Amino acid sequence: MYKEYINLTEANLAGEHLCCAMADKKHQYGVELKKAWLADRMKEGHVFRKLNVNGKVFIEYAPLEKSWVPVVGENYYYIYCLWVSGSFKGKGYGKELLDFCLSDARKNGKSGVCIISSPKKKPYLSDRKFLQKFGFETVDRIGKEYELMAVSFNGTVPEFTPNAKKQSIDSEELTIYYSPQCPFIPNCIEQIENYCNINKIPVNLIKVDTLEKAKELPCVFNNWAVFYKGRFETVQLLNENSLKKLLDK
């Protein structure tokens, strides 16, 4: 097993890969945007920790007060992403990364750690059963599909904002909220714009580019949220094929 981990810093950020988007050229613009976003977030206590390998083995978290999600709470860490893929699965790396985050939270006097999950396994969300092994419990819900899970060290719990629980908007148009936080997003936006332009489908792409905008969103959100016909649909990133399926529902 590999044991060397690296925390990204302002000093090493330019020379390190971001795990989730490494070799694919179509995502390099997204990587540049993510690194610029990260450079600003690191000043706020954002942590990106990865195994020193050519693979997807990392955790990304930040103080909840500075996290670009419609979740609020006092003195928590919020986990954006915990990802272990391919041949690295089943070797304890996910446990080590999550243990590091929990220990970091205790060391820094945090009230606990929270993350968005789901009763049923969903793409881009950490597995609920895995989180429960570390003491995470459901502390808030949005509908039947999304839940906020947390480990509390002092009995306080975070929650979704009241606005996030609306899960609806006035517009009937395909509407997508997105942030620079994921390097895959620019390519998804390009595919969606091209498909909608060719097929004359009205689309409203809303860039979430400030903390304030993120905290006020009308839905569950980690870096992406899709509405269609006024109703929230998914946090799953869309390419052209998945967009077609959504529009054909």
Side-chain angles (χ1 to χ4, degrees), residues 149 181 222 233:
M149 301 188 72
Q181 198 263 338
N222 204 36
E233 291 288 344

Side-chain angles (χ1 to χ4, degrees), residues 152-172:
S152 176
F153 304 149
N154 63 5
T156 65
V157 293
E159 60 185 0
F160 289 112
T161 64
N163 215 38
K165 295 185 177 183
K166 291 180 179 178
Q167 298 288 86
S168 64
I169 57 176
D170 293 334
S171 175
E172 292 285 305

Side-chain angles (χ1 to χ4, degrees), residues 11-35:
N12 68 15
L13 181 58
E16 292 289 342
H17 69 73
L18 293 180
C19 297
C20 46
M22 293 179 290
D24 197 328
K25 291 183 178 179
K26 70 174 178 284
H27 297 306
Q28 289 314 296
Y29 177 59
V31 169
E32 292 173 12
L33 292 179
K34 171 65 180 276
K35 285 189 172 185

Side-chain angles (χ1 to χ4, degrees), residues 7 10 20-21 24 41 46 70 89 95 106 124 128 138 147 159 178 185 192 198 212 220 232:
N7 279 26
E10 291 181 73
C20 46
D24 197 328
R41 304 288 76 74
H46 191 110
K89 287 184 175 180
K95 178 183 184 302
R106 289 188 176 94
Y124 303 100
R128 182 181 193 248
T138 301
E147 57 190 24
E159 60 185 0
Y178 68 97
I185 285 177
I192 290 166
I198 291 170
E212 292 72 23
V220 63
F232 173 80

